[in-house]
Amino acid sequence: MSILGVTLVLFLLGIIGWLVINANKLGQYFRESVEVRAYLRSSDVTSQDSTAIVNYIAQQPYVRQYTYVTKEAAKKQYLEDGNQDWAGVLDENPLPNSINFKLKNEYVQSDTLANIEKTIEANPLISDVQYPKELVTNLNKNINRISLILLVLAVILAVVVIILIDNTIRLAMFSNRFLIKTMQMVGATRMFIAKPLNVRAIVNGAISATIAIILVYCLTLAAESFLPELRALNDTKTLILLFIALLIIGIAITLFSTYRSVRKYLRMKLDELY
């Protein structure tokens, strides 16, 4: 029963940890989906100038990926979006060539994007730079708010988990109080008494954590089967770190609680055990 109790609380802690990881990855995914468009001037821009400005933007540290969009490609996308063709009205394609690029996660901030916009617009070959400013502002606010809420929940649940595991182990040790006292009365040393109980605590904590890890992993697989989009957020390295943390927490808390209980009953008088 103690193994089952520890497993359940570690499972809850693992779920919260998984949600925190996914929230961070989801925020990073949305930030890296923000696209910035740098439009080239229609006149006096040669192919060499276009190549030069593309190479310049591609070498910037904030660029994650980029695409050079020609006037013809821009028109094709314009028509695919359901817009009306202007062939009967205009003789030339009014859409400019552009360099569309997406930023790395850490650069998707309002002030950083404003500086990037000014720097690129200072180039005489660029006529305009556009990106969804309101979306970036609201996106960062919402991501920060959600991350803070999940972090607070994780801290609260971690405290609750520690208390529940400690109480579970103390109740389990309560049934061994007479055995501990009897061994002490026949001359067994404190180390001799505590060693087998500590070893069992380590084993039980490892078993509980392992079962909790398996349950959390199965939950992630089930969630990804229902929502395939979650696979894009899958971070194996972070998930492994979460599992290692659950294993350490499970062993550490059960061992500490067992150690406390053994010391408590060794210090108590025989009459107090009743």
Side-chain angles (χ1 to χ4, degrees):
M1 292 303 295
S2 64
I3 292 176
L4 179 61
V6 174
T7 298
L8 291 177
V9 293
L10 287 177
F11 175 62
L12 292 176
L13 183 60
I15 291 176
I16 292 296
W18 179 67
L19 290 176
V20 171
I21 292 172
N22 276 356
N24 292 332
K25 294 295 293 183
L26 186 62
Q28 180 179 343
Y29 174 79
F30 282 133
R31 287 192 182 101
E32 292 182 346
S33 298
V34 174
E35 186 176 65
V36 180
R37 298 184 178 183
Y39 295 99
L40 279 66
R41 297 189 183 277
S42 300
S43 60
D44 301 330
V45 177
T46 64
S47 59
Q48 293 180 348
D49 293 335
S50 300
T51 302
I53 189 62
V54 169
N55 291 335
Y56 167 75
I57 290 180
Q59 293 173 0
Q60 299 306 308
Y62 48 78
V63 176
R64 186 175 63 87
Q65 66 180 42
Y66 68 94
T67 304
Y68 180 69
V69 182
T70 63
K71 299 174 62 173
E72 293 73 18
K75 179 180 179 181
K76 181 180 179 181
Q77 184 62 47
Y78 178 83
L79 296 177
E80 288 178 353
D81 292 339
N83 297 301
Q84 187 175 2
D85 193 356
W86 61 74
V89 181
L90 301 175
D91 296 331
E92 297 182 359
N93 185 353
L95 299 177
N97 299 328
S98 66
I99 304 171
N100 301 346
F101 60 93
K102 295 181 180 179
L103 305 173
K104 296 178 181 178
N105 173 57
E106 59 269 21
Y107 290 96
V108 186
Q109 303 292 336
S110 298
D111 53 349
T112 304
L113 277 169
N115 293 332
I116 292 174
E117 179 183 10
K118 291 179 181 179
T119 302
I120 297 178
E121 285 183 340
N123 193 302
L125 300 177
I126 301 296
S127 63
D128 190 20
V129 176
Q130 295 182 2
Y131 64 91
K133 298 181 181 180
E134 292 296 329
L135 175 63
V136 171
T137 302
N138 294 330
L139 179 63
N140 286 323
K141 287 182 179 179
N142 292 332
I143 289 175
N144 292 335
R145 186 180 297 115
I146 293 173
S147 298
L148 180 61
I149 292 174
L150 287 177
L151 181 61
V152 171
L153 287 176
V155 172
I156 294 174
L157 185 59
V159 174
V160 173
V161 164
I162 293 174
I163 295 174
L164 288 177
I165 293 178
D166 183 63
N167 288 335
T168 301
I169 299 303
R170 289 172 62 186
L171 288 174
M173 292 301 299
F174 181 76
S175 60
N176 293 323
R177 65 192 188 281
F178 289 111
L179 175 62
I180 295 172
K181 200 64 180 179
T182 301
M183 294 174 68
Q184 184 186 29
M185 293 176 64
V186 297
T189 63
R190 179 173 298 183
M191 181 63 67
F192 182 85
I193 298 172
K195 184 177 179 180
L197 295 174
N198 291 338
V199 171
R200 188 173 68 178
I202 294 174
V203 173
N204 290 348
I207 294 174
S208 300
T210 301
I211 297 174
I213 289 170
I214 294 174
L215 293 176
V216 173
Y217 183 69
C218 292
L219 179 65
T220 60
L221 294 180
E224 290 177 357
S225 64
F226 283 105
L227 295 174
E229 294 82 3
L230 291 175
R231 294 173 184 170
L233 306 177
N234 191 9
D235 189 347
T236 304
K237 182 178 179 180
T238 309
L239 195 61
I240 291 175
L241 291 177
L242 173 64
F243 292 160
I244 293 175
L246 289 178
L247 183 62
I248 294 174
I249 291 173
I251 294 175
I253 298 177
T254 52
L255 179 60
F256 177 72
S257 299
T258 300
Y259 175 76
R260 282 182 55 199
S261 298
V262 171
R263 288 192 60 186
K264 172 185 175 182
Y265 293 128
L266 288 175
R267 292 178 178 179
M268 291 176 65
K269 296 180 179 180
L270 183 60
D271 294 339
E272 296 174 344
L273 298 179
Y274 293 94

